[in-house]
Amino acid sequence: MDSVHGNKKTVSGEPARPVTIAQVAREAGVSKTSVSRFLGGELDALSENIRQQITSTIARLGYQPNQMARGLKRGRTRLIGMVVADMLNPYTVAVLQGVEAACQQHGYTLILCNTGNDEQRERQSLAALRSYSVEGLIVNTQGRNIESSDLQQAGMPIVLVDRRIEGADFDLVGLDNVQAGRLATAHLIEQGFDAIAFVAPPLTGVSSRLMRADGFQSVMAEHPGCVGEVLAVDLDDRPSIDAQVRLCLAQWRGRRVALLASNGMVALELALMLQRLALRMPQDVGLLGFDELPWSPLAGLSTIEQQTYEIGFSAMTCMLSRLQGEQCPPREVLLPGKLIVRNSTRGGD
Protein backbone atom coordinates (compact mmCIF):
# COMPACT_ATOMS: atom_id res chain seq x y z
CA MET A 1 0.00 0.00 0.00
CA ASP A 2 1.35 3.41 -0.95
CA SER A 3 1.87 5.97 1.81
CA VAL A 4 1.70 9.76 1.64
CA HIS A 5 4.62 11.85 2.97
CA GLY A 6 4.49 15.55 2.00
CA ASN A 7 6.26 15.95 -1.36
CA LYS A 8 7.84 12.51 -1.37
CA LYS A 9 7.15 9.99 -4.12
CA THR A 10 4.91 6.93 -3.87
CA VAL A 11 6.28 3.44 -4.50
CA SER A 12 5.05 3.76 -8.08
CA GLY A 13 7.45 6.65 -8.58
CA GLU A 14 4.72 9.28 -8.98
CA PRO A 15 4.92 12.41 -6.79
CA ALA A 16 2.62 12.07 -3.79
CA ARG A 17 -0.17 14.57 -3.32
CA PRO A 18 0.36 17.06 -0.47
CA VAL A 19 -1.05 15.91 2.85
CA THR A 20 -4.23 17.79 3.80
CA ILE A 21 -5.71 18.86 7.10
CA ALA A 22 -8.53 16.37 6.49
CA GLN A 23 -6.00 13.52 6.23
CA VAL A 24 -4.28 14.60 9.43
CA ALA A 25 -7.62 14.76 11.23
CA ARG A 26 -8.69 11.33 9.95
CA GLU A 27 -5.38 9.64 10.84
CA ALA A 28 -5.29 11.30 14.29
CA GLY A 29 -8.93 10.47 15.01
CA VAL A 30 -9.85 14.09 15.69
CA SER A 31 -11.94 16.78 13.98
CA LYS A 32 -10.63 19.16 11.30
CA THR A 33 -11.49 22.00 13.68
CA SER A 34 -9.10 20.56 16.27
CA VAL A 35 -6.30 20.34 13.71
CA SER A 36 -6.95 23.94 12.57
CA ARG A 37 -6.86 25.15 16.16
CA PHE A 38 -3.60 23.26 16.73
CA LEU A 39 -2.00 24.81 13.65
CA GLY A 40 -3.31 28.24 14.61
CA GLY A 41 -1.69 28.05 18.03
CA GLU A 42 -4.96 27.68 19.99
CA LEU A 43 -3.46 24.93 22.14
CA ASP A 44 -5.38 25.84 25.29
CA ALA A 45 -8.60 24.82 23.52
CA LEU A 46 -7.31 21.23 23.10
CA SER A 47 -6.68 18.50 25.61
CA GLU A 48 -3.15 17.18 26.14
CA ASN A 49 -4.12 13.86 24.57
CA ILE A 50 -5.47 15.51 21.39
CA ARG A 51 -2.38 17.73 21.09
CA GLN A 52 -0.12 14.66 21.30
CA GLN A 53 -2.21 12.74 18.73
CA ILE A 54 -2.03 15.64 16.25
CA THR A 55 1.71 16.20 16.85
CA SER A 56 2.62 12.55 16.21
CA THR A 57 0.34 12.31 13.16
CA ILE A 58 1.82 15.44 11.56
CA ALA A 59 5.32 14.05 12.09
CA ARG A 60 4.36 10.61 10.68
CA LEU A 61 2.63 12.00 7.58
CA GLY A 62 5.16 14.79 6.99
CA TYR A 63 2.41 17.40 6.83
CA GLN A 64 3.54 20.92 5.91
CA PRO A 65 0.96 23.69 6.27
CA ASN A 66 0.36 26.05 3.35
CA GLN A 67 1.67 29.26 4.90
CA MET A 68 0.34 31.43 2.08
CA ALA A 69 -3.20 30.10 2.48
CA ARG A 70 -3.06 30.47 6.24
CA GLY A 71 -1.75 34.01 5.93
CA LEU A 72 -4.45 35.04 3.48
CA LYS A 73 -7.12 33.60 5.75
CA ARG A 74 -5.86 35.80 8.57
CA GLY A 75 -5.23 38.80 6.31
CA ARG A 76 -1.46 38.51 6.86
CA THR A 77 1.12 36.90 4.58
CA ARG A 78 4.33 38.13 6.26
CA LEU A 79 5.62 38.84 2.73
CA ILE A 80 7.44 42.02 1.70
CA GLY A 81 7.98 42.80 -1.99
CA MET A 82 11.10 44.57 -3.18
CA VAL A 83 11.58 46.00 -6.68
CA VAL A 84 15.12 46.99 -7.70
CA ALA A 85 16.31 48.76 -10.83
CA ASP A 86 19.55 46.85 -11.36
CA MET A 87 20.53 43.67 -9.52
CA LEU A 88 23.99 43.83 -11.15
CA ASN A 89 24.77 47.08 -9.36
CA PRO A 90 26.85 46.39 -6.20
CA TYR A 91 24.88 49.15 -4.44
CA THR A 92 21.70 47.12 -4.87
CA VAL A 93 23.25 43.96 -3.45
CA ALA A 94 24.50 45.80 -0.36
CA VAL A 95 21.13 47.48 0.28
CA LEU A 96 19.38 44.15 -0.19
CA GLN A 97 21.47 42.61 2.58
CA GLY A 98 20.19 45.24 5.01
CA VAL A 99 16.57 44.71 3.98
CA GLU A 100 16.89 40.93 4.31
CA ALA A 101 18.47 41.18 7.75
CA ALA A 102 15.59 43.33 9.03
CA CYS A 103 13.03 40.98 7.46
CA GLN A 104 14.56 37.95 9.13
CA GLN A 105 14.78 39.73 12.45
CA HIS A 106 11.04 40.48 12.40
CA GLY A 107 9.72 37.29 10.81
CA TYR A 108 9.06 38.50 7.25
CA THR A 109 9.99 36.89 3.93
CA LEU A 110 11.30 39.04 1.07
CA ILE A 111 10.23 38.59 -2.56
CA LEU A 112 12.66 40.27 -4.96
CA CYS A 113 11.99 41.53 -8.50
CA ASN A 114 14.75 42.94 -10.74
CA THR A 115 13.57 45.28 -13.50
CA GLY A 116 16.87 45.71 -15.33
CA ASN A 117 16.14 49.47 -15.57
CA ASP A 118 13.17 48.73 -17.82
CA GLU A 119 9.97 50.67 -17.11
CA GLN A 120 7.64 47.99 -18.53
CA ARG A 121 9.26 45.29 -16.40
CA GLU A 122 8.90 47.56 -13.39
CA ARG A 123 5.14 47.87 -13.89
CA GLN A 124 4.87 44.10 -14.43
CA SER A 125 6.84 43.45 -11.26
CA LEU A 126 4.62 45.74 -9.20
CA ALA A 127 1.51 43.99 -10.52
CA ALA A 128 2.99 40.55 -9.82
CA LEU A 129 3.89 41.44 -6.24
CA ARG A 130 0.38 42.76 -5.59
CA SER A 131 -1.01 39.44 -6.81
CA TYR A 132 1.08 37.67 -4.16
CA SER A 133 -0.65 39.78 -1.49
CA VAL A 134 2.58 41.23 -0.12
CA GLU A 135 2.02 43.41 2.93
CA GLY A 136 4.33 46.19 1.76
CA LEU A 137 6.64 47.29 -1.06
CA ILE A 138 10.22 48.56 -0.96
CA VAL A 139 11.00 50.19 -4.31
CA ASN A 140 14.27 51.27 -5.91
CA THR A 141 12.67 52.59 -9.10
CA GLN A 142 14.33 52.86 -12.51
CA GLY A 143 12.98 56.41 -12.42
CA ARG A 144 11.60 56.95 -15.91
CA ASN A 145 7.92 57.36 -16.81
CA ILE A 146 6.60 56.04 -13.53
CA GLU A 147 3.69 57.89 -11.96
CA SER A 148 2.93 58.04 -8.27
CA SER A 149 -0.48 56.53 -9.13
CA ASP A 150 1.30 53.35 -10.30
CA LEU A 151 2.28 52.77 -6.69
CA GLN A 152 -0.58 54.45 -4.83
CA GLN A 153 -3.10 52.05 -6.35
CA ALA A 154 -1.28 49.22 -4.59
CA GLY A 155 -3.08 50.22 -1.39
CA MET A 156 -0.26 49.19 0.95
CA PRO A 157 2.73 50.78 2.73
CA ILE A 158 5.52 51.73 0.32
CA VAL A 159 9.07 52.83 1.07
CA LEU A 160 11.32 54.26 -1.66
CA VAL A 161 15.05 53.58 -1.67
CA ASP A 162 17.52 56.08 -3.16
CA ARG A 163 15.22 57.54 -5.83
CA ARG A 164 12.20 59.81 -5.50
CA ILE A 165 9.04 59.65 -7.58
CA GLU A 166 7.39 62.91 -8.62
CA GLY A 167 4.28 63.60 -6.56
CA ALA A 168 4.60 60.45 -4.44
CA ASP A 169 3.82 60.66 -0.73
CA PHE A 170 5.95 57.77 0.48
CA ASP A 171 8.78 57.35 2.94
CA LEU A 172 12.23 57.65 1.35
CA VAL A 173 15.51 56.21 2.62
CA GLY A 174 18.85 56.85 0.96
CA LEU A 175 22.02 58.89 0.75
CA ASP A 176 22.01 62.63 1.36
CA ASN A 177 22.95 63.11 -2.28
CA VAL A 178 23.36 66.89 -2.25
CA GLN A 179 25.66 66.71 0.78
CA ALA A 180 27.65 63.88 -0.82
CA GLY A 181 27.99 65.75 -4.12
CA ARG A 182 29.24 68.82 -2.30
CA LEU A 183 31.65 66.77 -0.18
CA ALA A 184 33.20 65.11 -3.22
CA THR A 185 33.53 68.33 -5.23
CA ALA A 186 34.99 70.32 -2.35
CA HIS A 187 37.62 67.62 -1.81
CA LEU A 188 38.70 67.73 -5.46
CA ILE A 189 39.04 71.53 -5.39
CA GLU A 190 40.98 71.36 -2.11
CA GLN A 191 43.38 68.95 -3.80
CA GLY A 192 44.11 71.48 -6.53
CA PHE A 193 41.83 70.25 -9.32
CA ASP A 194 40.35 73.28 -11.08
CA ALA A 195 38.55 71.55 -13.98
CA ILE A 196 36.05 68.87 -12.97
CA ALA A 197 33.58 66.78 -14.97
CA PHE A 198 30.64 65.13 -13.20
CA VAL A 199 30.14 61.93 -15.23
CA ALA A 200 26.81 60.08 -15.06
CA PRO A 201 24.32 58.12 -17.13
CA PRO A 202 21.43 60.32 -18.37
CA LEU A 203 20.08 62.32 -15.42
CA THR A 204 16.46 62.58 -16.52
CA GLY A 205 14.03 61.02 -14.07
CA VAL A 206 16.70 59.73 -11.65
CA SER A 207 16.57 61.94 -8.57
CA SER A 208 19.77 60.64 -6.96
CA ARG A 209 21.86 61.57 -10.02
CA LEU A 210 20.18 64.97 -10.30
CA MET A 211 20.82 65.78 -6.65
CA ARG A 212 24.48 64.69 -6.79
CA ALA A 213 24.84 66.92 -9.84
CA ASP A 214 23.18 69.75 -7.89
CA GLY A 215 25.71 69.34 -5.08
CA PHE A 216 28.54 69.35 -7.62
CA GLN A 217 27.30 72.45 -9.42
CA SER A 218 26.63 74.40 -6.21
CA VAL A 219 30.25 73.99 -5.06
CA MET A 220 31.59 74.82 -8.53
CA ALA A 221 29.54 78.04 -8.47
CA GLU A 222 31.31 79.01 -5.24
CA HIS A 223 34.69 78.80 -6.99
CA PRO A 224 34.63 81.08 -10.06
CA GLY A 225 38.25 80.23 -10.86
CA CYS A 226 37.27 76.61 -11.54
CA VAL A 227 35.41 75.17 -14.52
CA GLY A 228 33.02 72.24 -14.51
CA GLU A 229 30.73 70.27 -16.75
CA VAL A 230 28.12 67.51 -16.43
CA LEU A 231 28.80 64.68 -18.90
CA ALA A 232 25.94 62.28 -19.67
CA VAL A 233 27.42 58.99 -20.89
CA ASP A 234 26.18 55.66 -22.20
CA LEU A 235 27.98 52.96 -20.23
CA ASP A 236 27.50 50.50 -23.10
CA ASP A 237 29.30 52.79 -25.56
CA ARG A 238 32.96 52.88 -24.54
CA PRO A 239 34.21 54.68 -27.68
CA SER A 240 31.77 57.51 -26.92
CA ILE A 241 32.99 57.74 -23.31
CA ASP A 242 36.60 57.92 -24.54
CA ALA A 243 35.71 60.65 -27.03
CA GLN A 244 33.83 62.77 -24.48
CA VAL A 245 36.65 62.63 -21.95
CA ARG A 246 39.28 63.36 -24.62
CA LEU A 247 37.28 66.46 -25.60
CA CYS A 248 37.23 67.68 -22.00
CA LEU A 249 40.97 67.15 -21.66
CA ALA A 250 41.57 69.11 -24.86
CA GLN A 251 39.32 71.98 -23.74
CA TRP A 252 40.93 72.10 -20.31
CA ARG A 253 44.54 71.81 -21.41
CA GLY A 254 46.82 73.42 -18.85
CA ARG A 255 44.42 72.81 -15.94
CA ARG A 256 44.33 70.03 -13.34
CA VAL A 257 41.46 67.83 -14.47
CA ALA A 258 39.39 65.45 -12.34
CA LEU A 259 36.46 63.18 -13.08
CA LEU A 260 33.67 62.70 -10.54
CA ALA A 261 31.82 59.42 -11.22
CA SER A 262 28.14 59.39 -10.22
CA ASN A 263 28.18 55.74 -9.09
CA GLY A 264 30.37 52.66 -8.86
CA MET A 265 29.54 51.38 -12.34
CA VAL A 266 30.58 54.71 -13.87
CA ALA A 267 33.75 54.77 -11.75
CA LEU A 268 34.74 51.34 -13.07
CA GLU A 269 34.23 52.39 -16.69
CA LEU A 270 36.23 55.58 -16.16
CA ALA A 271 39.10 53.69 -14.49
CA LEU A 272 39.20 51.29 -17.46
CA MET A 273 39.06 54.24 -19.86
CA LEU A 274 42.05 55.93 -18.19
CA GLN A 275 43.94 52.67 -18.52
CA ARG A 276 43.04 52.45 -22.24
CA LEU A 277 44.22 56.03 -22.79
CA ALA A 278 47.40 55.47 -20.73
CA LEU A 279 46.49 58.32 -18.38
CA ARG A 280 47.87 58.26 -14.84
CA MET A 281 45.93 59.01 -11.66
CA PRO A 282 46.23 61.65 -10.29
CA GLN A 283 49.11 63.11 -12.32
CA ASP A 284 47.16 63.29 -15.60
CA VAL A 285 43.58 62.98 -14.35
CA GLY A 286 42.06 62.71 -10.89
CA LEU A 287 39.19 60.26 -10.32
CA LEU A 288 36.68 60.05 -7.47
CA GLY A 289 33.67 57.74 -7.46
CA PHE A 290 30.47 57.32 -5.51
CA ASP A 291 30.21 53.91 -3.78
CA GLU A 292 33.01 52.11 -1.96
CA LEU A 293 33.50 48.83 -3.84
CA PRO A 294 35.77 45.82 -3.17
CA TRP A 295 38.15 46.84 -5.95
CA SER A 296 38.39 50.51 -4.87
CA PRO A 297 41.39 50.02 -2.51
CA LEU A 298 43.17 47.90 -5.13
CA ALA A 299 42.84 50.69 -7.71
CA GLY A 300 43.75 53.38 -5.17
CA LEU A 301 40.40 55.02 -5.91
CA SER A 302 39.02 57.78 -3.70
CA THR A 303 35.32 57.26 -3.02
CA ILE A 304 32.20 58.54 -1.34
CA GLU A 305 31.10 55.59 0.79
CA GLN A 306 27.38 55.05 1.29
CA GLN A 307 25.94 53.36 4.37
CA THR A 308 24.29 50.80 2.10
CA TYR A 309 23.48 48.14 4.68
CA GLU A 310 22.01 50.80 6.99
CA ILE A 311 19.94 52.19 4.10
CA GLY A 312 18.38 48.77 3.51
CA PHE A 313 17.81 48.07 7.20
CA SER A 314 16.30 51.54 7.73
CA ALA A 315 13.96 51.07 4.76
CA MET A 316 12.55 47.92 6.34
CA THR A 317 12.36 49.65 9.73
CA CYS A 318 10.22 52.39 8.14
CA MET A 319 8.08 49.67 6.56
CA LEU A 320 7.52 47.97 9.93
CA SER A 321 6.35 51.20 11.53
CA ARG A 322 3.81 51.69 8.72
CA LEU A 323 2.61 48.09 9.01
CA GLN A 324 2.07 48.70 12.71
CA GLY A 325 -0.25 51.58 11.89
CA GLU A 326 1.96 54.66 12.18
CA GLN A 327 0.21 57.55 10.46
CA CYS A 328 2.85 60.32 10.46
CA PRO A 329 3.50 62.37 7.28
CA PRO A 330 5.95 60.87 4.73
CA ARG A 331 9.51 61.11 6.02
CA GLU A 332 12.96 61.16 4.50
CA VAL A 333 15.82 59.28 6.13
CA LEU A 334 18.95 60.66 4.46
CA LEU A 335 22.26 59.21 5.60
CA PRO A 336 25.51 61.16 5.10
CA GLY A 337 28.24 60.01 2.74
CA LYS A 338 31.79 59.42 3.98
CA LEU A 339 34.84 60.56 2.02
CA ILE A 340 37.61 57.97 1.67
CA VAL A 341 40.77 59.53 0.24
CA ARG A 342 43.25 57.47 -1.76
CA ASN A 343 45.94 58.19 -4.35
CA SER A 344 43.54 58.88 -7.24
CA THR A 345 42.82 62.38 -5.91
CA ARG A 346 45.82 63.32 -3.82
CA GLY A 347 47.16 66.79 -4.63
CA GLY A 348 50.47 67.44 -6.31
CA ASP A 349 52.40 65.42 -8.84
Side-chain angles (χ1 to χ4, degrees):
M1 178 177 177
D2 296 349
S3 60
V4 178
H5 293 281
N7 292 325
K8 296 180 181 179
K9 291 185 178 181
T10 63
V11 294
S12 64
E14 294 297 322
R17 293 179 181 177
V19 178
T20 65
I21 288 179
Q23 288 174 275
V24 172
R26 185 170 61 251
E27 292 285 334
V30 301
S31 68
K32 288 174 59 177
T33 300
S34 293
V35 177
S36 294
R37 285 176 173 171
F38 178 90
L39 295 172
E42 301 176 44
L43 302 183
D44 291 342
L46 306 171
S47 69
E48 177 64 25
N49 183 53
I50 288 179
R51 291 201 299 267
Q52 290 180 353
Q53 286 177 258
I54 296 174
T55 299
S56 61
T57 302
I58 284 175
R60 178 165 53 83
L61 297 182
Y63 172 73
Q64 295 182 343
N66 186 325
Q67 299 294 347
M68 177 70 79
R70 291 175 64 197
L72 289 173
K73 186 175 181 181
R74 298 173 185 167
R76 297 293 304 276
T77 62
R78 309 294 291 185
L79 297 176
I80 298 296
M82 185 171 182
V83 177
V84 299
D86 183 7
M87 196 63 222
L88 296 179
N89 191 325
Y91 168 87
T92 302
V93 177
V95 170
L96 176 61
Q97 290 174 338
V99 175
E100 282 187 314
C103 282
Q104 291 173 7
Q105 182 174 315
H106 294 278
Y108 285 83
T109 298
L110 187 67
I111 301 178
L112 178 67
C113 292
N114 175 39
T115 69
N117 282 305
D118 182 271
E119 58 193 79
Q120 183 59 34
R121 283 174 59 183
E122 182 168 89
R123 288 194 170 89
Q124 291 170 348
S125 296
L126 291 170
L129 289 170
R130 287 196 294 269
S131 73
Y132 279 102
S133 298
V134 297
E135 295 187 26
L137 287 169
I138 297 175
V139 181
N140 169 230
T141 177
Q142 48 78 32
R144 296 181 304 277
N145 299 321
I146 182 169
E147 303 291 338
S148 60
S149 58
D150 292 337
L151 294 177
Q152 287 168 337
Q153 66 182 357
M156 66 183 73
I158 292 170
V159 177
L160 302 178
V161 171
D162 185 49
R163 297 173 178 176
R164 292 177 169 83
I165 295 175
E166 187 82 23
D169 294 327
F170 307 123
D171 293 337
L172 170 74
V173 181
L175 177 70
D176 186 339
N177 287 294
V178 174
Q179 173 266 344
R182 288 185 59 85
L183 178 64
T185 309
H187 165 71
L188 291 172
I189 292 174
E190 288 168 3
Q191 295 301 305
F193 295 100
D194 59 354
I196 306 170
F198 178 80
V199 186
L203 304 182
T204 306
V206 182
S207 64
S208 55
R209 296 174 194 166
L210 287 165
M211 297 181 78
R212 291 173 194 179
D214 285 347
F216 161 72
Q217 290 172 321
S218 67
V219 173
M220 295 302 295
E222 296 167 4
H223 295 80
C226 298
V227 294
E229 185 173 343
V230 175
L231 294 183
V233 298
D234 179 354
L235 294 183
D236 294 323
D237 188 352
R238 287 179 172 174
S240 175
I241 296 175
D242 291 0
Q244 286 179 273
V245 173
R246 282 182 183 275
L247 181 59
C248 279
L249 292 175
Q251 291 175 335
W252 294 337
R253 194 180 307 276
R255 289 180 176 268
R256 289 205 72 211
V257 179
L259 305 175
L260 176 54
S262 66
N263 62 38
M265 306 288 279
V266 174
L268 177 58
E269 286 301 324
L270 292 179
L272 292 172
M273 177 216 65
L274 294 178
Q275 185 180 57
R276 288 194 300 273
L277 301 182
L279 295 172
R280 301 166 299 164
M281 296 185 295
Q283 295 91 334
D284 300 320
V285 180
L287 177 60
L288 189 153
F290 279 81
D291 300 330
E292 172 70 3
L293 302 173
W295 58 268
S296 299
L298 182 64
L301 179 68
S302 295
T303 62
I304 296 293
E305 182 180 35
Q306 298 195 56
Q307 300 179 59
T308 46
Y309 179 92
E310 290 78 7
I311 288 172
F313 200 95
S314 296
M316 186 58 197
T317 300
C318 285
M319 175 62 66
L320 287 167
S321 69
R322 295 300 185 184
L323 290 172
Q324 292 163 3
E326 187 172 345
Q327 296 295 323
C328 67
R331 63 206 147 186
E332 290 190 353
V333 180
L334 301 180
L335 303 181
K338 175 185 175 183
L339 175 65
I340 299 177
V341 180
R342 299 193 178 94
N343 289 337
S344 70
T345 61
R346 294 195 191 277
D349 291 336

